[in-house]
Amino acid sequence: MAVPADFTILDISGKFTMNKTLSDQRTDTILSLQGVGWFKRKAISIGTITLAIKHYKDDQGVEHVDIDQTITGGIPGTREERTLWWKERENEDHLFGHVIGRSRRVKADELDIPFLKEDWTADTIEHGLIQSYVESDTPKSGTTWIANQTWGIEVLDGERRYVRHVKFTGPKGEDIEAKLVYDYLGPL
């Protein structure tokens, strides 16, 4: 389902579910390369992933994106708390293990990876993408991978959609570019 006409990257608050038909089918490969076990990957592929996103600015004007993720099929969801200020933050995630991440709002022309800056709506380009850069904390996790993402609005089949572009680098240099497309379920 499309996002409302007035929905922009300046406030992505709302409830979303991943559209498995429009999203790249290599998500299982990415999860496997991140060290997620077969059972959890199977449950994720069968289940429905729902995101509850709260996007806001704190008293100092710093943007935050808090995401509560739920997955049907018995897999507990995760909570992501992203501060858009491009400072590294360590986290231990029950699905991905030990990770180090940082997030920011960035203009597309500041990015050097074409896949991360292409196909966005004019208003997303104007306001800037949200970039999420997460890598495994190799000494703690025992694996090595990078997930460099940009988030924004894209028009697919004539509808405005919330989309994430993922540039994934695996432990042996695997290079996967995948789009994750979400259906809008409504406000929080």
Side-chain angles (χ1 to χ4, degrees):
M1 188 163 132
V3 295
D6 61 349
F7 186 95
T8 72
I9 192 63
L10 292 176
D11 184 359
I12 59 171
S13 297
K15 291 182 184 174
F16 301 85
T17 187
M18 185 183 290
N19 183 310
K20 292 182 181 183
T21 303
L22 296 176
S23 293
D24 193 290
Q25 300 303 306
R26 295 172 293 171
T27 53
D28 184 71
T29 301
I30 293 171
L31 290 170
S32 176
L33 293 169
Q34 288 175 303
V36 177
W38 180 86
F39 179 75
K40 285 185 179 179
R41 292 194 330 267
K42 189 68 173 171
I44 289 168
S45 72
I46 293 170
T48 300
I49 299 170
T50 302
L51 307 177
I53 301 175
K54 180 181 177 185
H55 187 171
Y56 61 97
K57 288 186 179 179
D58 63 22
D59 293 338
Q60 288 75 41
V62 177
E63 280 184 275
H64 296 261
V65 179
D66 297 341
I67 304 170
D68 288 309
Q69 190 176 103
T70 56
I71 307 169
T72 59
I75 298 296
T78 59
R79 177 166 175 83
E80 300 173 46
E81 295 178 351
R82 299 179 186 269
T83 305
L84 305 188
W85 59 4
W86 208 236
K87 294 180 184 178
E88 285 190 350
R89 181 176 158 263
E90 293 184 20
N91 187 38
E92 183 178 2
D93 185 278
H94 77 88
L95 191 60
F96 302 113
H98 293 275
V99 297
I100 301 169
R102 56 190 172 171
S103 302
R104 67 179 174 172
R105 180 172 298 282
V106 62
K107 293 292 187 179
D109 60 8
E110 294 177 42
L111 300 169
D112 59 357
I113 301 169
F115 177 73
L116 295 178
K117 60 184 186 177
E118 297 172 341
D119 300 329
W120 302 109
T121 59
D123 59 300
T124 297
I125 296 296
E126 176 188 346
H127 299 304
L129 301 158
I130 293 175
Q131 181 182 18
S132 164
Y133 184 94
V134 178
E135 60 188 337
S136 58
D137 188 344
T138 302
K140 294 178 182 175
S141 69
T143 188
T144 302
W145 54 264
I146 298 169
N148 192 356
Q149 300 182 37
T150 48
W151 306 350
I153 312 304
E154 191 172 318
V155 175
L156 297 168
D157 297 329
E159 295 183 327
R160 289 173 55 89
R161 298 282 188 146
Y162 171 58
V163 179
R164 295 180 177 187
H165 291 199
V166 182
K167 173 77 167 174
F168 180 82
T169 306
K172 295 181 182 173
E174 298 90 345
D175 182 23
I176 300 173
E177 294 180 341
K179 287 186 183 183
L180 305 178
V181 181
Y182 293 86
D183 289 333
Y184 181 72
L185 301 178
L188 288 179

